[in-house]
Amino acid sequence: MNSEAPNSKPDLYVVARIIKSLKKKNRVNKTALATCTELSYDKLVKYLDWMSKKGFVLVDENGLVSLTKEGLEVYDELVQWILKHVGQLKFPRLRAST
Amino acid sequence: MFYIRLKVTFIYLLSRVSSSLRWDAMSEKSVSSMSEENVVKKVAELMETLDEIKKYNVLDRYLKKFTIIVIGSIAICILVNLSISFFGLLSAFNEFERFFLNFPIVLIPTVGVVVGILFVKRKINEVKTGEWKKELSKGFPSALKLLSEIDWDTSFDVVSSGRLGYAMYSLVKGAAYGFIFFFIIGFVLNLITYLVLHRIGALGYASFHFSFLAIIIYLKHDLSKRFNEIREIEKLQLELRRLSDELRSSEL
């Protein structure tokens, strides 16, 4: 997983963090987004380029980033997909006794 | 591997977004956040369970040392007892006094068991748990990260190896308890026979039989509890394997 090269192999965790932040803040500038996603500005810009090509985000002429409906849908589908698999797990109540 | 599959799935999901859906933004948003919470909750449960299994593994890892401490203390107790008889250290006392003066040697295996258990408890307490909590508090993306970073093969090894040690630990502890029970029950029975009949050793091997019975009852209770837990761990292992396989093979 090379999170430095979003054009070829995007880090899903980073993409999810960006989408989650955008869900909360709607429209936000790149610097603020970099801060709240704990990404370096350069790295964020690379991801935003990749995400805007995929249609997940829109970056307007003022540099404000917003989430598209597609981006939100993909994020929700990803949540559902993970929940489908992890949600089936039943965990026993374990307590190692000595 | 899992991460690569996740990415494949993600890319697949990207291709699906072209099919636009009509949905109510508000209700969809709340369902989404509930789902995210559920994922985070489930991943927290998974991580907690894996943490707990690490503790079972500690029992397996330190079983040898625990056994050496416990069996060593029993061996010392037997040696001390034999030495007292061999060198006639208590020969100046009568039979009754010898018996009761001999009794404190039961403290040796008792201390052995206590030291052994405390040693294992300390090792269990040293297991680092909950290191994922800070990360997981960041929500769904962090749950995704934690899931992707689980080393499934190592986790399965940990689950497998912890089971046998957990049962063996109970057996070693049961054996030591049996030895201690034998002394204590023997002491109590001889005290009773001395008070009633003014004799000791009147009940022959009764202390052995009673201690054997006591240890059978103890082991039945302790082992059945442990085997139930082991069965639960086996079921969990199967579930984790299924999850791992599904996540690895899912091409959607």
Side-chain angles (χ1 to χ4, degrees), chain A residues 1 10-13 20 23 56 69 73-76 80-81 85 88-90 95 97-98, chain B residues 3 6-7 10 14 17 21 23 32 35-36 42 56 121 135 141 166 173 225 239 242 246 252:
Chain A
M1 184 60 49
D11 188 328
L12 197 55
Y13 164 57
K20 191 174 172 66
K23 271 177 81 178
F56 298 160
K69 186 181 161 188
E73 281 175 8
V74 163
Y75 182 81
D76 289 344
Q80 293 302 327
W81 187 80
H85 291 289
Q88 291 173 358
L89 288 176
K90 287 171 192 160
R95 186 164 187 173
S97 57
T98 54
Chain B
Y3 214 80
L6 272 179
K7 276 190 294 178
F10 193 62
L14 303 187
V17 294
L21 300 167
W23 47 284
S32 166
S35 302
E36 281 187 57
K42 273 288 180 185
Y56 286 75
K121 268 189 192 290
E135 180 66 48
Y166 195 53
K173 203 169 74 168
K225 178 177 152 281
E239 294 224 9
R242 186 175 50 78
E246 278 177 7
L252 291 183

Side-chain angles (χ1 to χ4, degrees), chain B residues 7-227:
Chain B
K7 276 190 294 178
V8 169
T9 309
F10 193 62
I11 301 302
Y12 162 79
L13 291 170
L14 303 187
S15 68
R16 289 186 56 189
V17 294
S18 55
S19 57
S20 61
L21 300 167
R22 292 190 176 275
W23 47 284
D24 172 42
M26 286 304 288
S27 62
E28 196 69 31
K29 195 175 177 181
S30 64
V31 168
S32 166
S33 61
M34 269 178 65
S35 302
E36 281 187 57
E37 280 171 21
N38 288 339
V39 170
V40 170
K41 203 174 150 188
K42 273 288 180 185
V43 172
E45 280 183 60
L46 172 63
M47 300 309 287
E48 273 169 11
T49 308
L50 291 178
D51 273 354
E52 201 57 39
I53 286 172
K54 281 187 209 163
K55 294 180 184 173
Y56 286 75
N57 214 33
V58 167
L59 283 175
D60 182 64
R61 206 179 316 146
Y62 292 100
L63 179 66
K64 271 186 191 169
K65 282 185 180 172
F66 174 76
T67 307
I68 289 169
I69 293 169
V70 170
I71 302 296
S73 68
I74 291 173
I76 290 169
C77 176
I78 292 169
L79 276 176
V80 169
N81 200 15
L82 288 175
S83 301
I84 289 170
S85 303
F86 185 77
F87 294 111
L89 297 177
L90 299 176
S91 55
F93 300 95
N94 65 35
E95 189 188 13
F96 173 73
E97 289 168 332
R98 274 204 303 275
F99 175 79
F100 287 104
L101 285 171
N102 237 351
F103 179 72
I105 65 167
V106 74
L107 287 174
I108 299 170
T110 307
V111 168
V113 172
V114 170
V115 168
I117 290 173
L118 288 178
F119 169 75
V120 172
K121 268 189 192 290
R122 202 187 74 185
K123 292 295 174 188
I124 283 178
N125 289 337
E126 281 173 6
V127 173
K128 287 182 182 171
T129 57
E131 288 172 310
W132 43 269
K133 281 183 182 169
K134 194 179 169 193
E135 180 66 48
L136 196 59
S137 65
K138 294 174 188 169
F140 173 74
S142 298
L144 201 58
K145 187 185 180 194
L146 286 171
L147 267 182
S148 67
E149 287 176 350
I150 291 176
D151 182 346
W152 292 103
D153 294 329
T154 305
S155 296
F156 294 146
D157 287 345
V158 168
V159 173
S160 298
S161 63
R163 293 176 302 181
L164 183 64
Y166 195 53
M168 288 303 294
Y169 176 84
S170 176
L171 287 176
V172 173
K173 203 169 74 168
Y177 281 174
F179 190 78
I180 295 166
F181 286 172
F182 173 69
F183 268 82
I184 293 170
I185 292 170
F187 177 80
V188 172
L189 291 180
N190 280 302
L191 187 65
I192 292 168
T193 56
Y194 179 77
L195 291 173
V196 177
L197 306 171
H198 298 287
R199 279 180 61 198
I200 57 168
L203 294 175
Y205 292 104
S207 59
F208 174 78
H209 293 134
F210 278 120
S211 63
F212 189 74
L213 185 67
I215 212 61
I216 291 288
I217 292 168
Y218 166 77
L219 280 179
K220 185 178 178 295
H221 174 261
D222 195 55
L223 277 178
S224 65
K225 178 177 152 281
R226 284 170 195 264
F227 277 117

